[in-house]
Amino acid sequence: MRHTETNTYDIQRLLHVKGKRRVTALEVEMSWQSFNLGDVFLLDIGKVIIQWNGPESNRQERLKGMQLAKDIRDRERGGRAEIGVIEGDKEEDSRQLMEALQSTLGERTAKLSSALPDDTPDQEQKAQLTLYHVSDAEGIMKVTEIGTRPLVQDLLSHDDCYFLDQGGLKVYVWKGKRANRAERQAAMSRAMEFIKLKGYPHTTNIETVNDGAESALFKQLFQSWRCKDQTVGLGKTHSVGRVAKVSQEKFDATTMHVMPEVAAQERMVDDGSGTVEIWRIENLELVAVEPQWHGYFYGGDCYLILYTYNVNNKKHYILYIWQGRHATQDELAASAFQAVNLDQQYGDEPVQVRVTMGKEPRHFMAMFKGKMVVFEGGTSRKGSSEPEPPVRLFQVSGTDPSNTKAIEVHALAGCLNSNDVFLLKSQTTIYLWCGKGSSGDERAMAKEISKVIGQGPVAEETIAEGHEPLEFWQLLGGRAQYANDKRLQQTTSDHQPRLFECSNKTGRFIVSEVTQFTQDDLSIDDVMLLDTWDQVFLWVGNEANEVERKESVVTCQEYLRTHPGSRDPDTPILQVKQGFEPPTFTGWFVAWDPAKWTGGKTYEQLKMELGEVTSLTRIVPDENGSAEDATYQTYPAADLMDKQADELPDGVHPTQKEKHLSDTDFQDIFGMSKDQFATLPQWKQISLKKGKKMF
């Protein structure tokens, strides 16, 4: 792995940003021919990054493009790059940026092509299957494409290795029983190179599949598979052509009842009683985590977990790659690279599973026997200077050692809900708060996990909902409304909630189920259907169109009417608007973030943070397309700290106060240099600025 040096500017590339719920960026030819009206494009020329938004691009593409541009600026350029934005339907408002764009790409001589359909819903991307053959039969290791959907089992030979690309959603590496060692090692490395070549994200899931021990998730991608009682295929598929020619067929709501959760997402190879070894990525290398800290996961870190278990006196391995939400791109890439090395050390035998923070599979939790804790941010590295927050709130979910974990949430009363148990930890006390709807098993597991969280000289106090002491509410910043609906207070739930996405972005109204859902799965461009059995919510995203709003109501009624469980057709249907979700809705989501849309950053807010984005007033491209460093007028710290926007000196943006400090003042206030500050994640920069009254 080559570590990317910060502040290297000798680069020219064009990135194509496309998608909806799963937005990806792919490097394309630096030419106007690569552009179209429906997507977002980033021209990266080192010290200048220009985002061009197609007139028909969707909000998610614009947001992801902006996040990518800021990430390149902050992580790869140390903050020493300028970002400009061109709205494709208002190019005349960004003349200097257009001149910079054309000086690199040349004059635009032809009209841009129309928008291409986004890969929505996810099922369309899942249908993009390509099988590749890895072999050295001719003396040279070669990778050859041998088939696309539909695939059959006979394409796989026991003598060779293959990798299967599921449209960038996931890549499987299948290793034949009689494949030689060189082929087995090359298959994984070629798959890694393939991901990079395709421009897929570093976090793309790679799973190793051994011949004869294929998972249900792998087998169901083939049209035919000789396996007793194995369900075959994904059912009938529809290919979508141009939007103008798509017939508006009536959606069959009965199909929503027969979409099972993929068994591989929850499969348990054993009860988690095998051997567990854990490493943390530190300075891009592996550092062993001491056994007493097993089960602690921090959002600013990445971990490799090797699980060893025995079947018929033979060792089997699972290699989990756990990636924190706030880990750097270098750490994410290093975790994938180190996983390949570890896989090779164990003879390419481990099954590799990438785990996203907050979506840990059941077997992963089972390894820690009900004592798994996920911290929102921070790091477990020795010598970390980050102080522990004085108050922390954890939501405990699970009823037995195989499915229990504690997830850190915002320490606010609004994050409580009556269906769960919460642990509130202060410097002197840990409160075990039991919601009225929590079960005895949940309370028992919370009591066990409190021993892990409350290590040290702290008193433990169990309190029932409705009998909280005054100090409890003071630690949470005061009382506030939370999810305490009567439905949530029932001690048993016979039916699990289900979430569906309702979208017509492909030209046909389609409903697709979202399994293991979280708040992040609520797409602001669509209508989402949440079925909690005795009521159904229709969550309407701010950017959902009129067709989606109308059709989703009809589909919801038909869904109830055709449900095989003989549902009451008069089941209440509640319409919820984005940003105005009641506690009866948010209570069904683990770790709901009330600030995601109200306090989170939209595309418009991120754009506003950049200040003037339609011109290059602070940067002047030279003939090679590079730019000189941006300069900022310096002011005394007293003129910038704890000042409102109208109190700041002219030319100082309220979100960029720190850029107007002298190097000495910056070092005194933040305890680090400007270059060191620029390498920090954006969320941590903002947190530090808020703490120093510079935001």
Side-chain angles (χ1 to χ4, degrees):
M1 170 168 289
R2 181 177 63 85
H3 176 63
T4 303
E5 182 185 353
T6 303
N7 297 338
T8 52
Y9 307 121
D10 53 341
I11 187 171
Q12 286 196 356
R13 60 180 175 178
L14 181 64
L15 302 177
H16 180 189
V17 182
K18 182 175 182 59
K20 186 171 160 286
R21 281 180 54 198
R22 179 179 170 80
V23 183
T24 58
L26 179 67
E27 187 170 348
V28 295
E29 180 187 354
M30 287 188 56
S31 164
W32 283 110
Q33 293 181 345
S34 299
F35 283 66
N36 67 66
L37 298 173
D39 297 322
V40 170
F41 295 83
L42 293 181
L43 178 65
D44 179 10
I45 51 177
K47 292 187 180 179
V48 181
I49 303 169
I50 300 175
Q51 176 172 338
W52 185 90
N53 296 326
E56 300 169 24
S57 60
N58 64 53
R59 183 173 296 269
Q60 288 301 313
E61 290 168 336
R62 297 180 184 212
L63 176 61
K64 292 295 183 182
M66 181 67 70
Q67 291 172 337
L68 179 59
K70 285 196 166 192
D71 192 60
I72 293 172
R73 179 195 66 184
D74 297 335
R75 297 184 188 278
E76 297 183 20
R77 311 289 150 75
R80 296 178 177 178
E82 289 294 319
I83 299 174
V85 180
I86 301 173
E87 301 298 345
D89 53 352
K90 297 179 181 178
E91 293 181 344
E92 65 277 4
D93 294 342
S94 310
R95 291 177 181 171
Q96 289 190 357
L97 286 174
M98 284 301 297
E99 289 175 3
L101 201 62
Q102 292 177 341
S103 68
T104 303
L105 301 177
E107 291 292 328
R108 188 170 62 198
T109 57
K111 187 177 179 180
L112 297 182
S113 60
S114 300
L116 300 172
D118 290 324
D119 295 332
T120 54
D122 285 347
Q123 275 70 19
E124 290 191 7
Q125 190 173 41
K126 290 177 182 177
Q128 299 170 8
L129 299 175
T130 310
L131 185 65
Y132 296 85
H133 179 216
V134 182
S135 175
D136 64 349
E138 299 176 4
I140 302 175
M141 194 65 66
K142 295 176 63 177
V143 176
T144 310
E145 178 180 330
I146 62 169
T148 58
R149 184 183 183 93
L151 299 174
V152 293
Q153 184 182 3
D154 290 338
L155 290 171
L156 303 176
S157 167
H158 299 297
D159 298 314
D160 294 312
C161 293
Y162 304 79
F163 62 85
L164 176 60
D165 176 24
Q166 193 179 356
L169 188 66
K170 192 169 186 176
V171 175
Y172 295 87
V173 177
W174 186 89
K175 300 178 179 180
K177 294 177 179 178
R178 297 191 292 269
N180 61 48
R181 183 176 180 82
E183 289 173 341
R184 294 170 68 86
Q185 291 181 343
M188 178 60 74
S189 60
R190 292 295 188 274
M192 295 288 293
E193 293 170 4
F194 175 83
I195 287 176
K196 186 176 180 180
L197 183 65
K198 282 283 191 177
Y200 294 156
H202 290 300
T203 54
T204 298
N205 197 335
I206 301 179
E207 182 171 332
T208 304
V209 181
N210 291 316
D211 186 0
E214 295 84 0
S215 66
L217 181 57
F218 179 82
K219 290 184 285 190
Q220 57 93 36
L221 297 175
F222 288 75
Q223 188 179 45
S224 61
W225 191 277
R226 292 182 298 276
C227 183
K228 186 178 180 181
D229 300 325
Q230 172 70 36
T231 302
V232 177
L234 287 169
K236 186 177 180 181
T237 60
H238 299 272
S239 59
V240 179
R242 300 194 177 195
V243 173
K245 294 184 179 180
V246 175
S247 60
Q248 290 293 334
E249 299 174 5
K250 182 176 174 61
F251 179 76
D252 183 5
T254 59
T255 62
M256 297 165 70
H257 309 304
V258 294
M259 294 181 181
E261 262 193 56
V262 180
Q265 291 179 352
E266 294 288 350
R267 74 180 186 273
M268 296 279 287
V269 295
D270 65 358
D271 60 1
S273 59
T275 304
V276 179
E277 297 175 82
I278 303 180
W279 297 267
R280 180 181 57 253
I281 299 297
E282 193 169 324
N283 297 325
L284 308 185
E285 300 295 334
L286 292 181
V287 176
V289 176
E290 297 175 355
Q292 65 264 34
W293 300 112
H294 286 190
Y296 289 83
F297 295 91
Y298 290 80
D301 286 330
C302 290
Y303 300 85
L304 297 188
I305 303 94
L306 181 67
Y307 182 75
T308 307
Y309 63 103
N310 288 297
V311 176
N312 297 326
N313 295 322
K314 181 184 178 183
K315 288 185 176 181
H316 293 256
Y317 307 97
I318 300 177
L319 180 58
Y320 289 103
I321 308 165
W322 190 94
Q323 299 176 328
R325 185 178 293 119
H326 305 298
T328 66
Q329 288 297 323
D330 279 348
E331 288 170 334
L332 294 172
S335 66
F337 176 78
Q338 294 292 355
V340 173
N341 288 342
L342 203 56
D343 180 83
Q344 292 176 351
Q345 290 178 29
Y346 284 84
D348 301 319
E349 293 184 21
V351 172
Q352 291 189 29
V353 182
R354 263 179 229 206
V355 178
T356 303
M357 175 177 170
K359 290 195 174 184
E360 294 81 8
R362 184 173 179 180
H363 184 263
F364 187 91
M365 293 184 281
M367 293 189 297
F368 304 105
K369 312 296 187 295
K371 296 180 180 179
M372 175 183 163
V373 184
V374 178
F375 297 91
E376 173 59 26
T379 176
S380 58
R381 302 178 187 184
K382 291 182 179 179
S384 173
S385 59
E386 276 191 52
E388 182 179 356
V391 180
R392 303 187 100 147
L393 182 65
F394 298 88
Q395 183 174 12
V396 182
S397 59
T399 56
D400 61 60
S402 73
N403 64 4
T404 297
K405 64 181 174 182
I407 305 174
E408 185 174 11
V409 298
H410 296 289
L412 299 170
C415 292
L416 298 171
N417 84 55
S418 296
N419 216 33
D420 285 317
V421 181
F422 287 77
L423 297 175
L424 177 63
K425 182 180 182 295
S426 69
Q427 293 175 325
T428 59
T429 309
I430 182 166
Y431 290 100
L432 195 154
W433 183 87
C434 302
K436 294 178 181 178
S438 61
S439 67
D441 288 337
E442 289 171 327
R443 296 170 192 175
M445 292 310 303
K447 207 165 187 61
E448 289 298 314
I449 210 166
S450 70
K451 298 174 184 176
V452 178
I453 294 176
Q455 290 182 350
V458 294
E460 183 178 309
E461 184 176 341
T462 301
I463 54 177
E465 182 179 4
H467 299 278
E468 301 86 357
L470 179 61
E471 185 190 9
F472 178 84
W473 296 117
Q474 289 175 338
L475 290 172
L476 292 176
R479 291 176 179 267
Q481 187 183 28
Y482 60 87
N484 59 357
D485 186 79
K486 291 181 180 179
R487 171 69 175 91
L488 293 175
Q489 294 175 19
Q490 296 179 9
T491 57
T492 59
S493 177
D494 296 329
H495 306 280
Q496 293 297 316
R498 302 174 74 189
L499 184 70
F500 299 88
E501 178 189 42
C502 308
S503 174
N504 75 333
K505 294 299 188 296
T506 59
R508 178 184 290 110
F509 184 77
I510 299 176
V511 177
S512 54
E513 183 166 8
V514 181
T515 60
Q516 289 187 327
F517 62 84
T518 66
Q519 185 182 2
D520 290 336
D521 291 313
L522 297 177
S523 173
I524 66 173
D525 292 326
D526 294 317
V527 174
M528 311 295 292
L529 187 157
L530 176 67
D531 180 11
T532 63
W533 191 259
D534 63 351
Q535 56 186 0
V536 178
F537 294 92
L538 285 178
W539 181 89
V540 182
N542 289 340
E543 302 303 314
N545 60 47
E546 196 60 32
V547 173
E548 290 165 343
R549 294 169 190 247
K550 290 181 179 179
E551 289 293 331
S552 59
V553 174
V554 175
T555 297
C556 184
Q557 294 168 339
E558 190 174 351
Y559 169 70
L560 291 171
R561 184 180 62 80
T562 62
H563 197 285
S566 300
R567 297 286 290 277
D568 181 356
D570 295 324
T571 298
I573 300 174
L574 293 76
Q575 190 172 80
V576 177
K577 301 293 179 59
Q578 177 191 334
F580 299 92
E581 297 84 359
T584 51
F585 177 84
T586 62
W588 298 105
F589 294 79
V590 174
W592 178 272
D593 181 3
K596 182 175 177 65
W597 295 297
T598 56
K601 298 295 177 64
T602 63
Y603 163 73
E604 288 76 12
Q605 289 170 323
L606 289 174
K607 183 177 176 182
M608 190 179 299
E609 283 184 359
L610 296 174
E612 177 60 55
V613 296
T614 59
S615 64
L616 299 177
T617 55
R618 294 195 295 268
I619 47 177
V620 181
D622 60 24
E623 294 179 355
N624 296 321
S626 64
E628 297 179 8
D629 287 336
T631 58
Y632 296 89
Q633 175 68 43
T634 59
Y635 294 97
D639 293 348
L640 301 170
M641 295 179 70
D642 203 17
K643 299 291 185 183
Q644 299 298 317
D646 56 357
E647 300 174 315
L648 293 171
D650 291 341
V652 177
H653 195 277
T655 64
Q656 298 179 340
K657 297 178 186 178
E658 77 284 357
K659 294 184 179 179
H660 297 272
L661 290 170
S662 67
D663 291 344
T664 302
D665 285 346
F666 193 99
Q667 182 74 39
D668 290 342
I669 293 173
F670 291 100
M672 65 183 75
S673 68
K674 291 182 178 180
D675 285 345
Q676 291 171 322
F677 181 84
T679 62
L680 299 176
Q682 193 72 18
W683 67 271
K684 192 167 185 179
Q685 290 183 16
I686 294 174
S687 178
L688 287 173
K689 289 195 290 184
K690 287 180 178 178
K692 303 297 182 181
K693 298 182 179 180
M694 292 290 292
F695 188 82

